[in-house]
Amino acid sequence: LPLMRPPIHSSALTTHSSISGMDYMANICGIDDKVCGVGYQEAKQEKCVGYGDYQVCTKVYGSFPKDDCESTYKKSASDDDDGAVWDGPYNDYNQTYKVASLPKAYYLPSGMAVCVKECPSENNFDEFICEYDYQAKVDALMDSDSIIDNALAITYGLKYTNEYKCMPKVETYDYMGYCMPVAAQDAIEISMNAALEAKGFNTTQIQAAADKGWWEMFQADFYTSYGVILGCGLGVTSLVGFIYLYILRIPGVLALVVWGIIAMIEAFFLLPGLMLYMVTYPEYLVIGEDSSIAINGTDYALDAVTGGCDWSEPFSEACGVLGLAYILLGIAALWACIICCLRSRIMLALGITQEAARAVAAMPFLIFFPLVQAAGLLVFFIPWVIFSIYLASSGTVVAETVCYTTSTCIQVKNFEYSDEQLGAGLYMLFIWFWTTQFIIAIGQLVIALAVSQWYFTRDKSTIGNVTVFDSVRMAFRYHMGSAAFGSLIIAIIKTIRAVIMYLQGKAAKAKNRLASAILCCIQCCMWCVEKCMKFIN
């Protein structure tokens, strides 16, 4: 099956735009060729009087543009003999904060990120990472040869940290372009959440806005649990499977397991029903015993009060016990009837399972054939993922503003796609369905051909792993077209279901209950069609 797609014409065709972080000015770290935010708030013109470290500076608010990302604007120095104009770090550091050269995202206490060249590898609370304009002033003071300026840099860093514009450098590791704290992650999260909430931030909304997609969460989960997945999920289960396969070949074991489970299900309903009917309910039938009482020398007989269930009052305790007993006994009787009707099919299934165990024992390579299928799927999966990531990154990055208070907002990135790009995405989804179903169908054909050859061959000594390889040859030479056609039908149905699911999401967001109900019914019908076609295939 060819792995092709319509050409996508986009200057933003890069995989990094979909996973790279975005700073507080909506720049994609390591991609956007911009210099934004430097020198607007703190890097103002200052007129300084004095000499060296002993200067008295007065801010002169210049006309620095807030979002001018390319300008190299610089005011001319003053001709005043008793002072000079400090041009500020806007011009001096404009290349330092060029976003295209800063590929990593480092988060500040405000919940917004700034782009940095590399993630800090150690804790250093005397150095700070800030929004670019604040960073410019801190760096200008830190780069000075004056000890006083260096101390001021730390003072300003702490001041800006208190204003959620800076963050001390903490030890982090690089995870997909994000600087993740190594130690005390929980403590950092708690302290930052407390700081944010104190400023009126809704930390739940911030975390929701920063949620990753399913693919990034899958990678994180696999990285965290790969030992358990590979050890228990693959190693232990394979060992148990081999042992169980060997045990199934022992005469009587399979029948004992299956009929034992059937008997346990019958006992699960029958025994509680009998206990309720024969032990519990009789206690409600008689209240007290027959007795007599003597009044003025004359004995009078007292009959016992009878109880039980009066169905005119069905919600009494006695009727509840009796009704539950009838239900359990009815289910037990129905289960016994079903087993009696299906006993021949159960015996056939037992025989088939035993024969399958013998076939696998005669052709051990059948056990490992699913690994061959998985390898084939992996060969397809790698280029498919690469194509899909490039396609997902070809959209136009749009910054969306999320506000948590009336005066505090942050920006998050989103992608907008053209009709051509959406069509290409649907095509890639269809290719995924078709190819995976084709690989599954080929596997079913190979196993069926191998087992059928083993079953109809009188001389079993001629059967072995060679039979499996011969089945692979026959499947690809004579039956590949059938597998492709059958998988095509399933792929078309799955693609239609995916489109319906997409429309269901749109209807749910629009809160259109009528459309949601209609689409739900259509989805159920397509599910039934898919199951029927799989059975026919």
Side-chain angles (χ1 to χ4, degrees):
L1 300 178
L3 181 63
M4 301 176 64
R5 63 175 177 84
I8 301 299
H9 304 287
S10 173
S11 59
L13 192 60
T14 170
T15 59
H16 299 290
S17 60
S18 62
I19 59 176
S20 298
M22 185 176 71
D23 68 7
Y24 63 99
M25 300 191 73
N27 303 315
I28 306 299
C29 297
I31 294 179
D32 286 342
D33 189 18
K34 297 179 180 179
V35 181
C36 294
V38 180
Y40 178 70
Q41 296 179 27
E42 288 295 334
K44 299 297 182 183
Q45 297 290 322
E46 294 188 1
K47 187 172 183 179
C48 302
V49 179
Y51 177 78
D53 296 335
Y54 304 97
Q55 295 189 25
V56 178
C57 299
T58 304
K59 285 186 177 181
V60 179
Y61 289 88
S63 58
F64 286 92
K66 180 177 183 180
D67 294 330
D68 184 1
C69 300
E70 303 296 339
S71 175
T72 56
Y73 172 82
K74 180 179 180 181
K75 277 192 173 183
S76 59
S78 172
D79 296 330
D80 193 348
D81 294 333
D82 60 352
V85 174
W86 178 48
D87 291 304
Y90 179 76
N91 183 68
D92 299 337
Y93 291 89
N94 61 349
Q95 295 301 318
T96 304
Y97 307 116
K98 198 175 185 66
V99 178
S101 63
L102 307 174
K104 311 302 179 183
Y106 188 90
Y107 280 96
L108 304 178
S110 62
M112 296 182 287
V114 293
C115 301
V116 295
K117 186 174 182 179
E118 59 184 11
C119 295
S121 59
E122 60 182 3
N123 294 324
N124 189 340
F125 298 104
D126 291 335
E127 295 183 5
F128 300 87
I129 296 176
C130 312
E131 293 182 7
Y132 307 127
D133 42 5
Y134 294 90
Q135 187 77 53
K137 182 166 186 176
V138 172
D139 287 350
L141 293 171
M142 188 60 71
D143 292 343
S144 173
D145 296 332
S146 169
I147 298 177
I148 296 178
D149 287 345
N150 297 158
L152 282 174
I154 299 175
T155 302
Y156 275 116
L158 295 173
K159 173 179 178 292
Y160 297 150
T161 300
N162 187 55
E163 297 173 359
Y164 310 108
K165 302 297 184 181
C166 291
M167 177 74 177
K169 288 184 177 181
V170 297
E171 183 182 2
T172 58
Y173 64 93
D174 181 7
Y175 178 73
M176 297 182 65
Y178 293 87
C179 298
M180 308 299 293
V182 174
Q185 296 187 36
D186 294 337
I188 291 175
E189 181 178 357
I190 293 172
S191 61
M192 292 306 166
N193 285 346
L196 292 171
E197 291 172 357
K199 281 291 184 178
F201 282 89
N202 187 326
T203 56
T204 302
Q205 293 182 4
I206 292 177
Q207 292 167 358
D211 280 346
K212 305 298 181 185
W214 69 269
W215 173 243
E216 293 178 356
M217 290 189 292
F218 168 79
Q219 287 183 310
D221 292 341
F222 183 82
Y223 179 80
T224 303
S225 309
Y226 71 91
V228 177
I229 294 173
L230 298 179
C232 297
L234 184 61
V236 175
T237 54
S238 299
L239 178 62
V240 172
F242 280 116
I243 296 174
Y244 182 66
L245 186 64
Y246 177 80
I247 292 176
L248 288 182
R249 299 171 58 193
I250 302 175
V253 172
L254 183 60
L256 179 63
V257 171
V258 173
W259 288 110
I261 293 174
I262 292 173
M264 289 175 62
I265 295 175
E266 176 69 17
F268 178 80
F269 294 105
L270 181 62
L271 294 180
L274 291 175
M275 290 289 293
L276 288 173
Y277 185 78
M278 300 179 65
V279 177
T280 305
Y281 181 69
E283 296 180 1
Y284 293 92
L285 296 178
V286 179
I287 302 176
E289 300 178 352
D290 293 340
S291 60
S292 62
I293 185 172
I295 300 177
N296 297 327
T298 304
D299 293 331
Y300 296 93
L302 299 176
D303 296 331
V305 179
T306 59
C309 174
D310 183 3
W311 289 110
S312 62
E313 298 180 1
F315 296 105
S316 64
E317 187 174 345
C319 290
V321 171
L322 184 60
L324 182 58
Y326 285 156
I327 292 173
L328 293 175
L329 292 174
I331 295 175
L334 180 62
W335 175 254
C337 293
I338 292 174
I339 296 302
C340 289
C341 295
L342 297 179
R343 65 186 185 282
S344 60
R345 304 293 296 178
I346 295 174
M347 295 304 299
L348 177 62
L350 292 175
I352 290 174
T353 306
Q354 289 177 332
E355 291 299 309
R358 296 190 183 99
V360 172
M363 299 175 289
F365 187 74
L366 281 179
I367 299 175
F368 302 99
F369 187 75
L371 298 179
V372 177
Q373 287 181 274
L377 184 61
L378 182 62
V379 170
F380 163 75
F381 181 73
I382 293 174
W384 184 87
V385 167
I386 294 174
F387 270 72
S388 299
I389 292 177
Y390 271 102
L391 181 60
S393 304
S394 65
T396 303
V397 180
V398 178
E400 294 184 355
T401 302
V402 180
C403 295
Y404 306 106
T405 66
T406 56
S407 60
T408 307
C409 300
I410 66 172
Q411 288 181 317
V412 296
K413 64 179 177 180
N414 196 5
F415 285 87
E416 290 185 354
Y417 300 98
S418 65
D419 293 339
E420 181 189 17
Q421 292 166 337
L422 292 175
L426 185 62
Y427 177 79
M428 292 298 295
L429 183 64
F430 170 74
I431 287 296
W432 168 260
F433 288 144
W434 192 5
T435 306
T436 53
Q437 292 298 317
F438 175 77
I439 293 174
I440 293 172
I442 287 293
Q444 293 172 341
L445 281 172
V446 170
I447 293 175
L449 288 168
V451 174
S452 62
Q453 288 188 72
W454 169 85
Y455 186 79
F456 291 105
T457 300
R458 292 183 179 275
D459 186 6
K460 304 298 184 184
S461 61
T462 61
I463 300 296
N465 289 329
V466 178
T467 307
V468 180
F469 295 108
D470 186 58
S471 299
V472 173
R473 179 188 62 82
M474 287 193 295
F476 279 97
R477 183 174 180 181
Y478 300 108
H479 304 289
M480 188 166 63
S482 300
F485 181 70
S487 57
L488 172 63
I489 296 174
I490 302 300
I492 292 174
I493 297 174
K494 282 184 170 292
T495 304
I496 294 174
R497 290 191 62 196
V499 173
I500 296 172
M501 186 178 299
Y502 173 78
L503 295 177
Q504 283 181 297
K506 290 289 187 180
K509 288 183 179 180
K511 297 182 179 180
N512 191 329
R513 295 184 178 181
L514 178 61
S516 298
I518 294 174
L519 290 171
C520 183
C521 294
I522 297 174
Q523 186 72 275
C524 291
C525 293
M526 293 305 300
W527 178 83
C528 294
V529 171
E530 180 183 350
K531 295 301 179 182
C532 293
M533 293 308 300
K534 282 187 175 181
F535 180 78
I536 294 174
N537 274 345

